[in-house]
Amino acid sequence: MAICTVYTTQSLNSTCSIYTPTTTKTQLSFHQKQLVLFSSSKRSGSRRGGSNTCVITCAAGDSQTIVIGLAADSGCGKSTFMRRLTSVFGGAAEPPKGGNPDSNTLISDTTTVICLDDYHSLDRTGRKEKGVTALDPRANNFDLMYEQVKAIKDGVAVEKPIYNHVTGLLDPPELIKPPKILVIEGLHPMFDQRVRDLLDFSIYLDISNEVKFAWKIQSVDTVWRASKASIEARKPDFDAYIDPQKQYADAVIEVLPTQLIPGDNEGKVLRVKLIMKEGVKYFSPVYLFDEGSTISWIPCGRKLTCSYPGIKFFYGPESYFGHEVSVLEMDGQFDRLDELIYVESHLSNISTKFYGEVTQQMLKHADFPGSNNGTGLFQTIVGLKIRDLFEQIIASKAAAPVEATKA
Amino acid sequence: MAICTVYTTQSLNSTCSIYTPTTTKTQLSFHQKQLVLFSSSKRSGSRRGGSNTCVITCAAGDSQTIVIGLAADSGCGKSTFMRRLTSVFGGAAEPPKGGNPDSNTLISDTTTVICLDDYHSLDRTGRKEKGVTALDPRANNFDLMYEQVKAIKDGVAVEKPIYNHVTGLLDPPELIKPPKILVIEGLHPMFDQRVRDLLDFSIYLDISNEVKFAWKIQSVDTVWRASKASIEARKPDFDAYIDPQKQYADAVIEVLPTQLIPGDNEGKVLRVKLIMKEGVKYFSPVYLFDEGSTISWIPCGRKLTCSYPGIKFFYGPESYFGHEVSVLEMDGQFDRLDELIYVESHLSNISTKFYGEVTQQMLKHADFPGSNNGTGLFQTIVGLKIRDLFEQIIASKAAAPVEATKA
């Protein structure tokens, strides 16, 4: 039988149950400011981690964990997108205190972001030996990913492995407590159907190859050939295992070269599309002026002057992998605050709590990459939409009776 | 000395002066429900008509005549545009009662439309003899046009000649009393600078040659060659004397072939532009969603379904003959009421007095040509803008002291 440890922490009023593999069940009650968490002293050895571990389930009316999936090729854990998202909920996102300094996890008051690289079943050497890339499903433990995400969603803390990006080794696990919002970020959040079904909302960050190449050129000029080669080497697996996930995403942020500068290949000015699936519960797509119609808008004109090459928006209904979607596109970049607030004021359904909240968020992180273009704008907006989704789910759960928890 | 006749009529409280060529001036006062009007028993023989006639001037605070110029190639007097305009003010527009059955004038409660063909100085035979077209300024008496329009604007009734379109002759004159709104419609409302300066608002109806040809083909199939020939024969004079007036217009309605059907030359589906000059007193251009920006809008989508080929709008700032203008363009046509009301509800600055007034006006005259496309829509909107302009002028005059009248 596994050993269970109870951690105390602040701020949640919970009713908890302890499950063990022997199916013994003990009801526990804790005062406010106590939270029961799970930790197994023994790392789950089997591929189906948790089958022989004890589980403490906490069903708190106000602490339902919602799970967000973010598929992105790189920048796991510390990505700008995640910092923007956690910022919307307030508080800084930081690695777990006192833990592995190479942890990929980011924790804020509301949100915990885990990196799916931590579910690599093969370390760097192992991948080399077997001749598979990190993109290959065979290098990843989807069973464990599913069980741990499910456990957290059910209010159960887990001991999540750590893939050390510095050493390329699998480090000892770290404790992940159920947060209000769990973000699973990485290469395969929507690859395994079981994991996919746990997601309350999913996002795919789609950087076009042209832009990837341009960014590599910009960032490390001297290694550009190698970088291009590395992008090209990853391409078959990327196309086979990563790219197809976008069909499942509730929102896709697509980063493309600008169309405002003919023949541009610098990748400095970007055209960014926010593709939003219709009919997703608790998610109402953003729109421009007239919902469901097709619009192109150049805000720069008499009221707003913009510097070259200006700003151009597009909005309209489209089809995306057979799904009905609404697309909002921004080409160009903001040069001044008034441009940003002007654009914000003309967008609808952005789920702000006050006038100018998008602009405030963008200014707060003006030093983040993409703060002057569609990537920053749409990441911020998606953050607000997730906050809205979270609040709607909490409200609907509060209205419904507290569900019985299951192991 | 000329003989002056006093007519009584209803509804105006006026202070009037009688001017005669001998400059004798008599102040008259009338009770409400009396109006002084001018009639000379003798047709003004000189080109500068009125120089030897007596004039009764009525300066009524609430009955300032505003003058609207409408330049259009044809359809004078009985045009759809004028019927739409007068309809906005309520009451039917009819020829003067008991007058010449071939009169070109249309009178409603508020509006009098006079046809500038009535200022032809040469009748059909005269033009033929001198080898000039009706478009040629030499076939028109601009001095008389100026003096009579000025007199009416000053509150003075005039005896306006009648050009009989049936006989091609100049008929005896008819009395034109100063209305609230005088519309001078025809080939040259903005040709003569003196007349132009009298206009409170001017409109140019610009039918492209492609559409003119298509219309001729549709209407009288068998004479199409002759019609095309006639359009082409008029073209040099049209280009020399009519077309240049559009640079002076406060609003231009341009009728073009559709771009929704590639290669279309039927002229059934139209693309219509409303070109509105910026900075015109009492006239604020209509806009779509965001004033001063550039927008294209296909309203047909999720909320509104349209039949082929759909409807497409464009709005944006442009330059027109060196003037700053705003352009609103509609391509396509309305098939159903909901399409019309949907479009109306998304236009701003249309000067309606209640929600759906444009739609109501269009439905009221659903049998008029162009009621399902941009010509009808923009004619109706221009009518509403003129009502607004009129009301603003009246309000500003009421605020200012009553001006001294001049002969």
Side-chain angles (χ1 to χ4, degrees):
Chain A
M1 184 183 161
I3 301 155
C4 292
T5 313
V6 172
Y7 290 78
T8 59
T9 182
Q10 301 148 331
S11 94
L12 284 164
N13 185 10
S14 312
T15 311
C16 299
S17 311
I18 303 179
Y19 288 80
T20 68
T22 58
T23 71
T24 311
K25 187 175 171 180
T26 313
Q27 284 291 339
L28 300 175
S29 264
F30 295 88
H31 295 105
Q32 203 159 0
K33 306 204 176 203
Q34 282 186 315
L35 180 64
V36 174
L37 300 158
F38 163 72
S39 174
S40 166
S41 63
K42 174 166 164 273
R43 174 73 203 293
S44 166
S46 78
R47 288 179 62 95
R48 295 200 139 259
S51 58
N52 62 346
T53 58
C54 73
V55 172
I56 303 176
T57 306
C58 301
D62 64 347
S63 67
Q64 172 76 29
T65 292
I66 75 156
V67 186
I68 309 295
L70 172 68
D73 192 12
S74 62
C76 203
K78 288 171 180 67
S79 79
T80 306
F81 195 167
M82 285 306 103
R83 292 185 179 273
R84 287 193 200 279
L85 173 62
T86 52
S87 170
V88 163
F89 290 94
E94 291 175 350
K97 281 194 181 88
N100 186 332
D102 291 333
S103 165
N104 303 304
T105 302
L106 277 176
I107 297 175
S108 73
D109 292 350
T110 323
T111 311
T112 295
V113 183
I114 62 172
C115 177
L116 296 180
D117 287 353
D118 290 337
Y119 293 103
H120 282 337
S121 55
L122 295 172
D123 60 14
R124 200 173 288 157
T125 312
R127 294 197 299 272
K128 215 167 253 179
E129 283 171 7
K130 300 225 172 174
V132 295
T133 69
L135 311 170
D136 193 311
R138 289 172 292 172
N140 296 278
N141 185 347
F142 288 103
D143 292 336
L144 184 63
M145 189 192 295
Y146 163 63
E147 286 177 15
Q148 294 207 334
V149 173
K150 184 170 188 318
I152 294 170
K153 188 163 185 162
D154 287 342
V156 179
V158 299
E159 290 256 308
K160 181 190 61 55
I162 297 174
Y163 174 75
N164 190 318
H165 284 91
V166 181
T167 63
L169 298 171
L170 291 160
D171 286 352
E174 63 185 354
L175 179 76
I176 302 293
K177 307 169 188 177
K180 289 186 176 171
I181 299 169
L182 175 72
V183 181
I184 59 169
E185 182 193 17
L187 294 165
H188 305 94
M190 289 98 90
F191 183 84
D192 184 284
Q193 197 196 323
R194 296 167 302 167
V195 178
R196 203 159 67 224
D197 288 347
L198 294 172
L199 301 177
D200 293 287
F201 195 77
S202 57
I203 307 142
Y204 186 97
L205 188 56
D206 190 9
I207 319 285
S208 69
N209 281 329
E210 299 97 308
V211 173
K212 273 186 200 171
F213 290 159
W215 283 355
K216 292 283 183 190
I217 297 166
Q218 276 172 39
S219 53
V220 211
D221 225 22
T222 49
V223 295
W224 117 257
R225 277 172 195 284
S227 296
K228 184 164 181 178
S230 106
I231 292 170
E232 279 170 355
R234 287 161 63 90
K235 201 169 181 305
D237 279 0
F238 188 86
D239 291 349
Y241 309 120
I242 312 304
D243 192 72
Q245 294 177 94
K246 61 192 185 193
Q247 67 189 293
Y248 304 116
D250 298 316
V252 174
I253 296 180
E254 202 176 318
V255 185
L256 300 154
T258 184
Q259 287 178 336
L260 297 175
I261 306 167
D264 175 78
N265 56 8
E266 283 193 41
K268 280 178 185 162
V269 180
L270 299 173
R271 180 165 62 101
V272 186
K273 284 172 117 163
L274 176 56
I275 301 162
M276 298 161 282
K277 204 176 268 182
E278 290 288 329
V280 175
K281 202 171 180 188
Y282 306 122
F283 175 65
S284 52
V286 180
Y287 67 88
L288 190 58
F289 301 120
D290 177 27
E291 197 171 4
S293 72
T294 302
I295 287 186
S296 81
W297 176 49
I298 299 169
C300 318
R302 287 202 192 103
K303 283 196 195 163
L304 180 74
T305 53
C306 308
S307 62
Y308 179 83
I311 299 171
K312 186 173 181 177
F313 275 81
F314 169 85
Y315 163 75
E318 288 186 11
S319 180
Y320 188 78
F321 291 97
H323 297 290
E324 199 184 347
V325 297
S326 284
V327 174
L328 180 65
E329 179 183 304
M330 174 181 167
D331 199 350
Q333 57 194 33
F334 304 109
D335 281 326
R336 296 191 320 267
L337 172 63
D338 60 343
E339 297 171 6
L340 180 48
I341 190 80
Y342 191 86
V343 165
E344 177 181 355
S345 69
H346 286 81
L347 294 170
S348 297
N349 262 0
I350 48 173
S351 299
T352 48
K353 291 197 189 271
F354 55 87
Y355 179 77
E357 190 177 10
V358 169
T359 300
Q360 190 203 57
Q361 283 291 332
M362 300 265 289
L363 288 178
K364 199 171 159 186
H365 305 297
D367 54 324
F368 285 7
S371 289
N372 66 341
N373 66 33
T375 63
L377 178 68
F378 294 158
Q379 285 169 3
T380 302
I381 288 173
V382 168
L384 293 166
K385 298 306 292 181
I386 288 172
R387 182 181 66 186
D388 188 38
L389 181 111
F390 167 72
E391 289 174 355
Q392 287 187 63
I393 292 176
I394 293 302
S396 76
K397 299 279 176 189
V402 175
E403 280 175 59
T405 56
K406 338 169 246 183
Chain B
M1 186 182 161
I3 301 155
C4 294
T5 315
V6 172
Y7 290 78
T8 61
T9 182
Q10 302 147 332
S11 94
L12 285 165
N13 184 9
S14 312
T15 312
C16 300
S17 309
I18 301 180
Y19 287 79
T20 70
T22 58
T23 72
T24 312
K25 188 174 171 180
T26 314
Q27 284 293 339
L28 299 174
S29 266
F30 296 88
H31 294 106
Q32 203 159 359
K33 305 201 176 207
Q34 282 186 316
L35 179 64
V36 174
L37 299 159
F38 163 71
S39 175
S40 166
S41 62
K42 173 170 163 276
R43 172 75 202 294
S44 165
S46 80
R47 287 177 63 92
R48 299 202 134 256
S51 59
N52 63 345
T53 58
C54 74
V55 171
I56 304 175
T57 304
C58 300
D62 65 346
S63 66
Q64 172 76 29
T65 293
I66 77 157
V67 185
I68 309 294
L70 172 68
D73 192 13
S74 61
C76 205
K78 288 172 180 64
S79 78
T80 305
F81 195 167
M82 285 306 103
R83 291 188 180 271
R84 288 194 199 277
L85 174 62
T86 53
S87 171
V88 164
F89 291 93
E94 290 174 350
K97 283 198 179 83
N100 186 330
D102 291 333
S103 165
N104 303 306
T105 303
L106 278 176
I107 296 174
S108 74
D109 293 350
T110 324
T111 311
T112 294
V113 183
I114 62 171
C115 176
L116 296 181
D117 287 355
D118 290 336
Y119 293 103
H120 282 336
S121 54
L122 296 171
D123 61 14
R124 201 173 286 159
T125 313
R127 295 198 297 271
K128 213 167 255 179
E129 282 170 9
K130 300 226 171 173
V132 294
T133 70
L135 310 170
D136 192 309
R138 290 170 293 175
N140 297 278
N141 185 347
F142 288 101
D143 293 336
L144 184 62
M145 188 192 294
Y146 163 64
E147 285 177 14
Q148 294 207 333
V149 173
K150 184 171 189 320
I152 294 171
K153 185 159 188 164
D154 289 341
V156 179
V158 299
E159 290 256 306
K160 182 191 59 57
I162 296 175
Y163 174 75
N164 190 317
H165 284 93
V166 181
T167 63
L169 298 171
L170 291 160
D171 284 355
E174 64 186 352
L175 179 75
I176 302 294
K177 306 169 189 176
K180 287 187 177 171
I181 298 168
L182 175 72
V183 182
I184 60 169
E185 181 193 18
L187 294 165
H188 305 94
M190 288 97 93
F191 183 85
D192 185 285
Q193 197 197 323
R194 296 166 302 167
V195 179
R196 204 160 66 225
D197 290 346
L198 293 172
L199 301 177
D200 292 288
F201 195 77
S202 56
I203 307 142
Y204 186 97
L205 189 55
D206 190 9
I207 319 283
S208 68
N209 281 329
E210 298 97 309
V211 173
K212 273 185 199 171
F213 290 159
W215 283 356
K216 291 285 183 188
I217 297 167
Q218 278 173 36
S219 53
V220 211
D221 227 22
T222 49
V223 294
W224 118 255
R225 278 172 195 284
S227 295
K228 183 164 183 178
S230 107
I231 291 170
E232 279 169 355
R234 286 162 62 91
K235 201 170 182 301
D237 278 1
F238 187 85
D239 291 348
Y241 309 119
I242 312 304
D243 192 72
Q245 293 177 95
K246 61 190 182 193
Q247 67 189 292
Y248 305 116
D250 298 317
V252 174
I253 295 180
E254 202 174 320
V255 185
L256 300 155
T258 183
Q259 288 179 334
L260 298 176
I261 306 167
D264 175 79
N265 55 8
E266 283 193 42
K268 279 178 184 162
V269 181
L270 299 174
R271 179 165 61 102
V272 187
K273 283 172 120 162
L274 176 57
I275 301 162
M276 300 161 280
K277 203 178 268 183
E278 289 289 328
V280 175
K281 203 172 179 185
Y282 306 123
F283 175 65
S284 51
V286 179
Y287 68 87
L288 189 58
F289 300 119
D290 177 27
E291 195 172 7
S293 72
T294 302
I295 287 185
S296 81
W297 176 48
I298 299 168
C300 317
R302 287 203 192 102
K303 284 195 194 162
L304 180 74
T305 53
C306 309
S307 62
Y308 180 84
I311 299 171
K312 185 173 181 176
F313 275 81
F314 169 84
Y315 163 74
E318 287 186 12
S319 180
Y320 188 78
F321 291 96
H323 297 291
E324 199 185 348
V325 297
S326 284
V327 173
L328 180 66
E329 179 183 304
M330 174 182 166
D331 198 352
Q333 57 193 32
F334 304 109
D335 281 327
R336 298 192 318 268
L337 172 63
D338 60 343
E339 297 171 7
L340 181 47
I341 190 82
Y342 191 85
V343 164
E344 177 181 356
S345 69
H346 286 82
L347 294 170
S348 297
N349 261 1
I350 49 175
S351 299
T352 49
K353 289 195 190 275
F354 55 87
Y355 179 79
E357 189 176 12
V358 169
T359 301
Q360 190 202 57
Q361 284 291 333
M362 300 266 289
L363 288 178
K364 198 170 160 186
H365 306 297
D367 55 324
F368 284 6
S371 290
N372 68 341
N373 65 34
T375 62
L377 178 67
F378 294 157
Q379 285 169 4
T380 303
I381 289 174
V382 168
L384 293 168
K385 297 305 294 182
I386 288 171
R387 182 182 67 186
D388 187 37
L389 182 111
F390 167 72
E391 290 174 355
Q392 286 186 64
I393 293 174
I394 293 303
S396 76
K397 299 278 179 195
V402 175
E403 280 174 60
T405 56
K406 333 170 251 183

